[in-house]
Amino acid sequence: MNYTFGNSFFRNSMDLFDRNNMKETEYLRTDIYEKDGAYYLKIEIPGVEKKDIEVGFENGYLTINVTQEHYEEEYIRKERITEEMRRSYYLGEIDEDTIKANYENGILTIRLEKQKEKVETKKQIIIE
């Protein structure tokens, strides 16, 4: 078959990138691992500027928000997502003061130290 630019090939082909059919894990793909008393998350966010990424932690949940600007070009086909993406991860008890994030080459790396174990003490109460 011979397709020319702008032909029905671009408009009628099976749309593998339909955002409405995407699962949460198909964007902001994440690897999580544990090392030296900390959790590490490596999150794919290609083609996004650091200023468009927001990272927050509240009640044991780490939340990533990515908001990109919309461009005014007229596209024949648009497969790259340029909207808002959001994903939350439940991580439990984390030492919030030690969270560090770095964004380089389309990968957001977040380091979260586990909260030090609370030492439970047993105290005898004297009855008066």
Side-chain angles (χ1 to χ4, degrees), residues 24-87:
E24 182 179 75
T25 56
E26 290 177 325
Y27 58 97
L28 297 178
R29 292 180 183 156
T30 305
D31 294 334
I32 302 174
Y33 61 96
E34 182 179 349
K35 181 180 174 183
D36 299 329
Y39 293 113
Y40 291 83
L41 285 80
K42 290 192 176 270
I43 305 164
E44 284 184 354
I45 314 175
V48 175
E49 294 182 35
K50 183 168 55 172
K51 68 176 182 61
D52 296 330
I53 303 170
E54 181 181 298
V55 180
F57 186 80
E58 184 177 358
N59 297 326
Y61 285 91
L62 179 77
T63 302
I64 311 297
N65 285 312
V66 179
T67 306
Q68 287 184 288
E69 298 178 19
H70 292 277
Y71 301 101
E72 300 300 322
E73 292 92 347
E74 290 188 31
Y75 291 94
I76 295 169
R77 180 173 178 87
K78 185 152 179 56
E79 295 179 347
R80 295 183 307 140
I81 298 170
T82 56
E83 299 176 13
E84 183 173 334
M85 295 178 277
R86 179 186 180 132
R87 188 159 181 200

